[in-house]
């Protein structure tokens, strides 16, 4: 089998000017690119145990692949991955495993996602493309004195029994490029400090970021985490300003980490005085108070997390630009956003082979057969050993004017209720809630639901305490009735309920930055 994925290998050596061109070339020619990508993935795994089992060397087309390889889920790979964690090579793909990405998944229990050299290359290229699109929209971020606050999880948690590093997708992305790391306001050592408590990481993140006047942008999957950091700053302001004034770090950390952090930590009485003056005048600090040149936020803008970003825009200066961080998971990075305030992005067809299962359907279709505006369950094949892998995500596909396709995450396929024989996906409930918000110029901070005797019981935390509760309940009842769903009732929650749920959901080694709240309990 001949390896052929010209876009990927050209992108591996492309300049910063060349990458955006290759992205758009791949996006427009997605049909040919998808076929070439799949054949290359198979060529890179034909000598592996999995590749030999399914005779990858004999496959000449996507049709061959789809006829002979079944749709899979994570459980189909557990035994293979356990062997790979011990260092065994040539199992799911040719050669060795560079690292594992650990995720708790939506069904609970730790999952280790293997990363091959080419799989890591794909993620790096997609990350670079995303960064360049953001820079195109906010070129000031590249000025020498400007810094970026990136809130991520740990790049490395630990190592497997075979000595292979295990980390998070966001942490590895942030620490992957040394040149990019120099733009970050937080010391890179924080990405590998696995011994730290989450509260300590938050304190250090606030301390190092507010000490710098020149933060221009925030990268943070879930902006709710930044809201918590801002509250921490104002609740412990005296401690932070004292550390800045004296050049100290007043949290318990190891001597080794303290010595490493002190290499870049110096007393700055002038900065302490600036912050203290504002705090004394206003009683608290805002983002604009801390960084007068702040301009840009990159975060998730889709699904329920995107709703949080809309709600929390008031935390930032009025003209702050919001840019989607991109749809992805521990298994891969699947699109590249190219415009501000859009929750989708160009399909990264040069790095993955995609299939789309129509909701309620039995057979997946190819990207070329998807319909504009329709939603599908996503199935993909990667260079890192996942073949026809059903991630159980619902995505929406959009047709662009230039002939390319965009993909947006909508919700998990499991995020649905069956009520009286009717399926209610979270996206449909979201549409109803948002139509009420638009009609009544109000905002719902949190909405969740559960099955109560085959009817929908809602739990609501509004932003406006004076919301018309009776009117809201009547509206929801009427709209749900249109799709055959009965409303059991609405339980109204006090302010702070959502953030309390975030705190409960945070798992070991993770942060609110990576935590999503399910709409259906």
């Amino acid at each position: 089998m001949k390896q052929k994925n010209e876009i990927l290998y050209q992108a591996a050596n492309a300049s910063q000017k060349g990458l955006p061109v290759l992205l758009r070339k791949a996006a427009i020619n997605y049909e040919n690119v998808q076929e070439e990508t799949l054949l290359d993935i198979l060529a890179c795994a034909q000598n592996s145990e999995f590749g030999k089992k399914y005779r990858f060397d004999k496959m000449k087309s996507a049709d061959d692949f789809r006829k002979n390889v079944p749709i899979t889920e994570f459980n189909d790979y557990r035994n293979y991955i356990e062997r790979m964690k011990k260092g065994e090579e040539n199992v799911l793909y040719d050669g060795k495993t560079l690292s594992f990405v650990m995720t708790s998944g939506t069904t609970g229990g730790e999952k280790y996602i293997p990363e091959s050299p080419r799989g890591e290359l794909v993620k790096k290229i997609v990350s670079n493309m995303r960064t360049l699109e953001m820079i195109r929209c906010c070129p000031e971020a590249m000025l020498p004195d400007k810094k970026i606050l990136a809130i991520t999880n740990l790049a490395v948690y630990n190592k497997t029994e075979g000595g292979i590093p295990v980390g998070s997708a966001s942490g590895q992305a942030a620490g992957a490029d040394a040149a990019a790391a120099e733009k970050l306001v937080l010391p890179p050592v924080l990405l590998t400090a696995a011994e730290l408590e989450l509260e300590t990481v938050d304190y250090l993140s606030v301390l190092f970021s507010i000490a710098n006047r020149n933060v221009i942008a925030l990268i943070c999957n879930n902006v709710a985490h930044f809201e918590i950091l801002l509250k921490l700053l104002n609740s412990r302001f005296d401690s932070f300003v004292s550390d800045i004034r004296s050049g100290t770090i007043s949290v318990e950390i190891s001597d080794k980490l303290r010595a490493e952090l002190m290499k870049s930590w110096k007393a700055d009485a002038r900065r302490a005085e600036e912050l203290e003056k504002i705090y004394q005048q206003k009683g608290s600090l805002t983002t604009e108070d801390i960084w007068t040149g702040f301009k840009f936020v990159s975060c998730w803008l889709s699904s329920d997390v995107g709703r949080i970003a809309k709600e929390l825009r008031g935390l930032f200066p009025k003209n702050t630009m919001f840019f989607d961080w991109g749809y992805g998971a521990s298994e891969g990075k699947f699109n590249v956003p190219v415009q501000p305030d859009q929750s989708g992005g160009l399909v990264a067809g040069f790095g993955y082979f995609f299939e789309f299962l129509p909701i309620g359907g039995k057979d997946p279709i190819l990207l070329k057969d998807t319909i504009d505006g329709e939603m599908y369950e996503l199935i993909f094949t990667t260079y890192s050993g996942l073949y026809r892998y059903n991630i159980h995500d619902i995505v929406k596909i959009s047709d662009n004017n230039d002939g390319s396709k965009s993909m947006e995450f909508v919700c998990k396929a499991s995020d649905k209720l069956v009520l009286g024989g009717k399926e209610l996906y979270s996206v449909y409930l979201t549409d109803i809630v948002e139509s009420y918000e638009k009609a009544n110029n109000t905002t719902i901070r949190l909405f969740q639901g559960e099955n109560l005797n085959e009817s929908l019981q809602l739990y609501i935390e509004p932003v406006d305490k004076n919301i018309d509760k009776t009117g809201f309940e009547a509206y929801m009842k009427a709209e749900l009735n249109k799709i055959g769903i009965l409303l059991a009732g609405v339980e109204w929650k006090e302010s702070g309920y959502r953030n309390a749920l975030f705190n409960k959901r945070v798992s070991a080694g993770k942060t609110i930055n990576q935590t999503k709240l399910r709409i259906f309990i």
Side-chain angles (χ1 to χ4, degrees):
M1 182 185 302
K2 182 181 178 181
Q3 293 187 30
K4 186 180 181 183
N5 187 356
E6 293 181 1
I7 295 289
L8 176 64
Y9 299 115
Q10 288 174 13
N13 299 302
S15 65
Q16 290 188 354
K17 290 183 178 180
L19 274 180
V21 175
L22 288 171
L23 167 64
R24 286 157 175 82
K25 179 180 178 181
I28 293 172
N29 300 304
Y30 65 85
E31 188 172 346
N32 290 334
V33 169
Q34 277 283 272
E35 184 89 6
E36 291 177 1
T37 298
L38 174 62
L39 294 179
D40 194 44
I41 289 173
L42 300 181
C44 292
Q46 63 184 7
N47 296 314
S48 68
E49 180 179 326
F50 196 93
K52 290 178 180 178
K53 177 180 178 180
Y54 288 101
R55 303 300 303 272
F56 283 179
D57 62 326
K58 301 298 183 182
M59 293 183 180
K60 305 298 182 184
S61 67
D63 287 342
D64 290 344
F65 174 69
R66 298 171 73 211
K67 288 176 183 177
N68 292 286
V69 178
I71 293 174
T72 63
E73 298 181 348
F74 183 78
N75 284 337
D76 297 309
Y77 298 95
R78 285 190 186 275
N79 292 335
Y80 293 111
I81 290 173
E82 286 303 312
R83 291 161 49 198
M84 295 165 73
K85 286 165 62 179
K86 296 175 182 177
E88 190 171 339
E89 299 182 7
N90 302 308
V91 179
L92 291 175
Y93 42 79
D94 297 355
K96 64 181 181 179
T97 297
L98 287 187
S99 63
F100 288 91
V101 178
M102 188 173 72
T103 176
S104 60
T106 57
T107 56
E110 292 180 348
K111 296 180 181 179
Y112 287 78
I113 308 298
E115 197 73 277
S116 72
R118 282 185 177 82
E120 186 177 82
L121 174 64
V122 168
K123 286 184 175 179
K124 182 178 180 180
I125 290 171
V126 174
S127 291
N128 288 343
M129 286 178 169
R130 290 176 175 178
T131 300
L132 289 171
E133 294 301 321
M134 287 187 279
I135 290 172
R136 179 175 59 81
C137 294
C138 184
E140 302 98 312
M142 294 310 294
L143 293 173
D145 63 330
K146 300 303 180 183
K147 293 289 185 179
I148 297 169
L149 170 57
I151 304 174
T152 71
N153 292 324
L154 295 175
V156 178
Y157 295 138
N158 50 46
K159 291 186 177 182
T160 68
E161 53 266 52
I164 302 172
V166 179
S168 72
S170 63
Q172 289 175 346
D177 191 307
E182 290 185 0
K183 294 295 297 180
L184 303 182
V185 71
L186 300 183
V189 68
L190 289 181
L191 292 176
T192 57
E195 76 280 4
L196 291 181
E197 297 289 334
L198 296 178
E199 294 81 2
T200 303
V201 174
D202 282 351
Y203 184 93
L204 294 171
S205 296
V206 172
L207 181 62
F208 277 84
S209 60
I210 68 169
N212 193 297
R213 301 170 179 83
N214 297 315
V215 172
I216 190 173
L218 168 70
I219 295 175
C220 177
N221 288 342
N222 190 341
V223 182
H225 194 169
F226 181 77
E227 180 188 30
I228 287 173
L229 295 187
L230 202 56
K231 289 179 178 178
L232 175 62
L233 163 62
N234 285 301
S235 66
R236 298 186 61 184
F237 177 78
D238 289 343
S239 178
F240 287 115
V241 79
S242 176
D243 278 345
I244 294 172
R245 179 180 289 110
S246 58
T248 55
I249 299 176
S250 59
V251 287
E252 292 295 326
I253 54 178
S254 68
D255 292 341
K256 180 180 179 181
L257 177 59
R258 187 177 297 275
E260 189 67 29
L261 291 174
M262 292 305 292
K263 292 179 181 178
S264 59
W265 183 242
K266 306 295 181 184
D268 190 343
R270 182 181 172 189
R271 178 60 171 166
E273 183 179 349
E274 288 175 357
L275 296 173
E276 195 167 39
K277 184 177 179 181
I278 299 170
Y279 187 83
Q280 289 173 349
Q281 290 174 345
K282 302 178 63 174
S284 65
L285 295 178
T286 66
T287 306
E288 194 167 15
D289 294 330
I290 304 163
W291 306 301
T292 56
F294 191 89
K295 291 182 177 294
F296 189 89
V297 174
S298 177
C299 63
W300 285 326
L301 296 180
S302 65
S303 189
D304 55 311
V305 185
R307 286 180 50 81
I308 296 172
K310 292 178 182 177
E311 175 198 336
L312 297 181
R313 285 189 176 219
L315 296 178
F316 304 96
K318 183 178 180 181
N319 294 324
T320 297
M321 181 183 299
F322 278 72
F323 202 94
D324 190 24
W325 178 237
Y327 165 47
S330 299
E331 294 87 348
K333 299 178 184 296
F334 306 132
N335 72 357
V336 181
V338 295
Q339 295 293 336
D341 289 311
Q342 291 186 1
S343 53
L346 296 177
V347 177
F350 60 87
Y352 309 88
F353 178 71
F354 294 110
E355 297 175 75
F356 302 87
L357 181 63
I359 294 177
K362 295 182 179 180
D363 299 315
I365 61 177
L366 298 178
L367 180 59
K368 67 183 180 67
D369 299 316
T370 57
I371 299 172
D372 180 43
E374 290 292 310
M375 293 187 293
Y376 304 90
E377 196 164 346
L378 182 65
I379 296 168
F380 56 81
T381 296
T382 77
Y383 280 95
S384 289
L386 302 177
Y387 304 98
R388 305 198 77 197
Y389 183 89
N390 190 339
I391 196 174
H392 297 294
D393 282 357
I394 302 294
V395 300
K396 183 170 74 173
I397 297 297
S398 300
D399 292 343
N400 301 318
N401 292 334
D402 62 359
S404 63
K405 299 264 189 179
S406 288
M407 178 163 56
E408 172 188 354
F409 172 76
V410 174
C411 67
K412 297 298 296 184
S414 59
D415 205 1
K416 69 178 181 180
L417 292 178
V418 179
L419 304 164
K422 299 283 187 178
E423 286 187 338
L424 178 65
Y425 281 94
S426 63
V427 62
Y428 300 143
L429 179 60
T430 298
D431 287 343
I432 296 174
V433 171
E434 290 185 345
S435 66
Y436 175 84
E437 291 174 319
K438 184 176 181 180
N440 293 274
N441 193 29
T442 190
T443 302
I444 304 298
R445 177 171 287 122
L446 173 82
F447 56 93
Q448 289 185 308
E450 67 175 332
N451 187 334
L452 183 62
N453 300 322
E454 297 303 311
S455 298
L456 179 65
Q457 173 67 35
L458 287 176
Y459 303 93
I460 304 293
E461 181 190 342
V463 171
D464 181 7
K465 294 182 179 180
N466 298 316
I467 188 172
D468 179 5
K469 295 180 179 180
T470 302
F472 175 81
E473 293 181 28
Y475 184 91
M476 296 302 296
K477 182 178 181 179
E479 292 301 310
L480 289 166
N481 278 342
K482 292 178 181 179
I483 55 176
I485 303 294
L486 297 178
L487 179 66
V490 177
E491 183 175 324
W492 296 88
K493 297 295 184 179
E494 295 295 324
S495 178
Y497 178 73
R498 183 191 65 196
N499 285 350
L501 290 180
F502 273 132
N503 289 330
K504 289 180 181 179
R505 285 290 307 275
V506 171
S507 56
K510 290 205 169 184
T511 66
I512 289 173
N513 192 42
Q514 286 292 102
T515 302
K516 302 184 181 86
L517 295 178
R518 297 192 64 168
I519 288 178
F520 293 133
I521 302 172

